[in-house]
Amino acid sequence: DQQVKQNSPSLSVQEGRISILNCDYTNSMFDYFLWYKKYPAEGPTFLISISSIKDKNEDGRFTVFLNKSAKHLSLHIVPSQPGDSAVYFCAASASGSARQLTFGSGTQLTVLP
Amino acid sequence: DADVTQTPRNRITKTGKRIMLECSQTKGHDRMYWYRQDPGLGLRLIYYSFDVKDINKGEISDGYSVSRQAQAKFSLSLESAIPNQTALYFCATSDGLGRGSNQPQHFGDGTRLSIL
């Protein structure tokens, strides 16, 4: 029973355009959400997070949007760059779970030059 | 030098062998975690530790054990390896700041383990 789902295994975007990566969750107790980026042969690297008390958090080219009623979050990358090509994981945690992270299965983003 | 170091980076071994994967960190974090990643799946939590005397099972702890030898060291053992434990294993750390605090986890570069 996947509590965090990334339904798109892959996404291709032209350099300079917007990349939108999506994530859905089922556990209403989740109140903290994160995005990680992973390059081959490296560990996941923390990118950006959002608390459930917010609906948007922005850091440079990266913005995360949270829609609690739809149990949906998305990561926007604008403008996309070839170096953004990586696997992106969303993750979620709940305050009552000692902050254990539950991960989605990842989306491979390819930014075409 | 990496903040979170995993050794070995790659390991091939046979069914039934005992294997230990090691993780050390220089970040000064009190929390440490072990995850495994299988193809097409996200990372799944095996064990986590909030300090040297606090070790907890994660989602998929069966067949694994851990040891927190010091604040900076957290090792994962497979007592008798089986082929379906072939996976990519990651260690992670985070800053505690209270049991329910929101702090991102920082990952090592992983150990690719193959069990024949």
Side-chain angles (χ1 to χ4, degrees):
Chain A
D1 178 28
Q2 277 191 291
Q3 297 186 64
V4 178
K5 297 181 183 179
Q6 294 177 256
N7 292 318
S8 297
S10 63
L11 173 68
S12 291
V13 172
Q14 209 68 35
E15 182 179 4
R17 306 294 290 268
I18 184 171
S19 294
I20 300 176
L21 296 98
N22 294 303
C23 180
D24 297 296
Y25 62 95
T26 58
N27 188 341
S28 58
M29 300 302 293
F30 288 149
D31 60 1
Y32 182 56
F33 304 88
L34 309 90
W35 284 94
Y36 282 85
K37 177 170 71 173
K38 185 183 180 303
Y39 293 118
E42 295 184 10
T45 301
F46 169 70
L47 198 55
I48 192 169
S49 64
I50 188 167
S51 166
S52 61
I53 62 174
K54 296 185 176 181
D55 55 18
K56 176 183 174 181
N57 189 27
E58 191 171 353
D59 183 0
R61 296 186 298 114
F62 303 92
T63 303
V64 56
F65 295 91
L66 176 62
N67 182 333
K68 289 185 290 295
S69 61
K71 293 190 177 67
H72 177 83
L73 66 155
S74 61
L75 175 68
H76 293 208
I77 306 173
V78 183
S80 300
Q81 299 173 353
D84 295 330
S85 297
V87 177
Y88 288 78
F89 291 98
C90 70
S93 71
S95 59
S97 68
R99 290 294 169 200
Q100 295 180 51
L101 289 181
T102 301
F103 282 84
S105 55
T107 297
Q108 171 70 58
L109 173 66
T110 302
V111 180
L112 305 169
Chain B
D1 286 342
D3 294 324
V4 183
T5 303
Q6 292 185 233
T7 56
R9 291 296 313 277
N10 292 281
R11 178 81 184 269
I12 300 173
T13 191
K14 294 182 178 179
T15 299
K17 294 290 188 181
R18 183 178 187 274
I19 302 158
M20 180 181 287
L21 309 182
E22 300 190 1
C23 177
S24 63
Q25 52 122 342
T26 59
K27 298 184 77 68
H29 289 166
D30 49 2
R31 299 182 176 189
M32 298 187 74
Y33 310 79
W34 276 104
Y35 292 87
R36 68 176 276 177
Q37 185 190 6
D38 296 279
L41 297 179
L43 283 71
R44 291 182 292 165
L45 184 64
I46 305 172
Y47 270 95
Y48 62 102
S49 170
F50 282 176
D51 64 41
V52 174
K53 297 179 181 179
D54 182 2
I55 293 178
N56 306 277
K57 292 182 178 181
E59 178 188 353
I60 52 166
S61 59
D62 287 349
Y64 301 95
S65 62
V66 290
S67 173
R68 185 84 183 264
Q69 301 95 323
Q71 188 202 31
K73 295 184 183 296
F74 192 36
S75 59
L76 176 72
S77 294
L78 289 68
E79 296 300 326
S80 179
I82 55 177
N84 74 2
Q85 291 177 312
T86 292
L88 191 53
Y89 289 83
F90 289 102
C91 174
T93 73
S94 69
D95 206 346
L97 301 179
R99 198 170 185 86
S101 69
N102 293 331
Q103 295 295 323
Q105 294 177 20
H106 302 269
F107 288 80
D109 286 338
T111 295
R112 186 168 296 279
L113 179 62
S114 297
I115 299 163
L116 306 177

